[in-house]
Amino acid sequence: MAQAGKRDYYEVLGVDRNATDDEIKKAFRKLARQYHPDLQSDPAQKKSLEEKFKEAGEAYEVLSDADRRKKYDMFGHAAAGQGFGGAEGFDFGRGFGDVFGDIFEDFFGGGRGGRRAEQGNDLQYNLEISFEEAINGKEAKLKIPRWEICESCHGTGAKSEKAVQPCSTCRGAGQIRLQQGFFTINRPCGQCQGSGQVISDPCKSCHGQKRVHKERMLSVTIPAGVETGMRLRLANEGEHGMNGGHPGDLYVALNVRPHPHFHRKGQEILYDLHLNFVTATLGGRVEVPTLKGPSMVKIPEGTQHDQILRLKGLGAPGLKSKVPGDQLVRIKIDIPTKLTPKQRELLNAFAQESGISMDSQGEGLFDKVKNLFD
């Protein structure tokens, strides 16, 4: 039976009547964050949030307790007279510790026992390598500037152990008690920044900062087959954390310089071979540069412009597979811009033998061949 003006507790939390304890707890956490009065500075809005927050808290206090929930299911709000409290007397302190602890940390950023360990920042180093180094791999020496724990004070920030004293404001607790709305919470002490300690005589090396800025030399293995845009991760080589926190990671971002002759697409390497039209027509053997040294390539008779010849296994290795790709040789036929009289005579004879007629403007075979590739 519902009392006039009082909503059903299950309705307040937005859960079914057969909801589990975990579902009830999650529902209250969601509402507690939504209706927390300190999220609103306007007095009128703050009052409205306080009422909704209080209503959700009352519903949670009852439904999170097995005995009270059983009585509520049987008698509704009338069960308030049977001793489990109501809107005027529910206790935020009982059964709310875990829920409010999580919520308070979300809102106010404080720990419940001194300062939290802070993980060190990740770092990125931009490394430029040559085309050949990307294909073959290399060992690179890097100089990394980063924040490290001070070796003089071992991260305490103090000259000696005696220079570290309990904070007089929070009496070493790292927290101070504040009234927030209609309940009391703990927040990190502003005097000691939540550490519970103050330093009377700072460390001379780090000046009380607990860390110092240093440059560290690292040897990094660049695997064969890397490409521009790839990043290598070196775990725990970033900046050192504070208050015992883990160090961050170092990321080495790679940029591969272009090669004047080779172009890469995945594991294939492309090379443009400029070939005279006689060799392209008659065929032959030509020396072609590769990343593993010169290689002789057979030019088939009648090779065409932009035709692709494939050199197996002379491409780039894969990062996961060590089987290399191929080198592609793209034919670019060069047409001479000047002919000697003898060359012109021979080409004209070739034209006559081949049945190639000359046009009325006197355009010769050389001009026809040249135009063909323009």
Side-chain angles (χ1 to χ4, degrees), residues 36 100-118 174-175 180 185-189 193-195:
H36 193 283
F100 280 148
D102 293 340
I103 296 171
F104 294 160
E105 289 188 19
D106 287 345
F107 286 148
F108 305 111
R112 286 177 284 175
R115 300 187 69 180
R116 289 180 178 179
E118 300 177 15
Q175 300 177 342
Q180 295 285 341
I185 67 168
N186 292 331
R187 293 189 63 178
C189 174
Q193 304 301 314
S195 67

Side-chain angles (χ1 to χ4, degrees), residues 39-91:
L39 293 177
Q40 181 57 250
S41 58
D42 181 78
Q45 295 293 330
K46 192 179 186 77
K47 178 67 175 177
S48 175
L49 287 180
E50 286 183 359
E51 293 299 325
K52 291 179 179 179
F53 190 88
K54 191 173 183 180
E55 181 185 44
E58 178 184 336
Y60 177 72
E61 184 191 21
V62 172
L63 299 184
S64 63
D65 183 280
D67 184 58
R68 294 182 178 190
R69 182 177 179 181
K70 183 177 179 180
K71 291 181 179 180
Y72 178 77
D73 289 342
M74 295 176 62
F75 304 106
H77 292 296
Q82 307 210 4
F84 67 76
E88 300 299 327
F90 74 93
D91 181 11

Side-chain angles (χ1 to χ4, degrees), residues 53-222:
F53 190 88
K54 191 173 183 180
E55 181 185 44
E58 178 184 336
Y60 177 72
E61 184 191 21
V62 172
L63 299 184
S64 63
D65 183 280
D67 184 58
R68 294 182 178 190
R69 182 177 179 181
K70 183 177 179 180
K71 291 181 179 180
Y72 178 77
D73 289 342
M74 295 176 62
F75 304 106
H77 292 296
Q82 307 210 4
F84 67 76
E88 300 299 327
F90 74 93
D91 181 11
F92 274 102
R94 177 171 49 187
F96 282 64
D98 291 340
V99 178
F100 280 148
D102 293 340
I103 296 171
F104 294 160
E105 289 188 19
D106 287 345
F107 286 148
F108 305 111
R112 286 177 284 175
R115 300 187 69 180
R116 289 180 178 179
E118 300 177 15
Q119 179 167 329
N121 292 327
D122 293 337
L123 298 176
Q124 177 167 304
Y125 185 95
N126 298 323
L127 177 64
E128 185 175 81
I129 59 177
S130 69
F131 191 89
E132 291 84 356
E133 290 170 339
I135 299 299
N136 300 319
K138 67 169 295 185
E139 288 290 322
K141 299 292 185 181
L142 308 182
K143 184 182 291 187
I144 308 298
R146 68 177 186 178
W147 286 99
E148 298 182 359
I149 293 298
C150 177
E151 295 180 355
S152 299
C153 65
H154 304 290
T156 65
K159 185 177 181 180
S160 65
E161 293 184 3
K162 295 181 180 180
V164 181
Q165 302 293 330
C167 175
S168 59
T169 301
C170 65
R171 299 181 181 179
Q175 300 177 342
I176 55 176
R177 189 175 295 272
L178 298 174
Q179 189 72 29
Q180 295 285 341
F182 53 87
F183 52 87
T184 301
I185 67 168
N186 292 331
R187 293 189 63 178
C189 174
Q191 179 67 25
C192 63
Q193 304 301 314
S195 67
Q197 300 173 334
V198 292
I199 300 173
S200 58
D201 191 4
C203 169
K204 302 300 183 183
S205 298
C206 66
H207 306 287
Q209 298 301 309
K210 303 182 180 181
R211 297 188 302 179
V212 292
H213 203 257
K214 288 187 174 182
E215 287 188 340
R216 174 177 170 82
M217 291 297 299
L218 290 177
S219 179
V220 180
T221 300
I222 309 299

Side-chain angles (χ1 to χ4, degrees), residues 1-7 77:
M1 294 179 289
Q3 295 180 1
K6 185 180 286 290
R7 288 202 299 160
H77 292 296

Side-chain angles (χ1 to χ4, degrees), residues 275-286 299-303 333-336 339 343 346-347 350 369 373:
L275 196 64
N276 65 76
F277 73 93
V278 175
T279 305
T281 303
L282 301 179
R285 291 175 63 84
V286 178
I299 307 299
E301 183 178 319
T303 294
I333 299 179
D334 290 335
I335 305 300
L339 293 176
Q343 290 172 332
L346 292 173
L347 283 176
F350 173 78
V369 174
F373 297 106

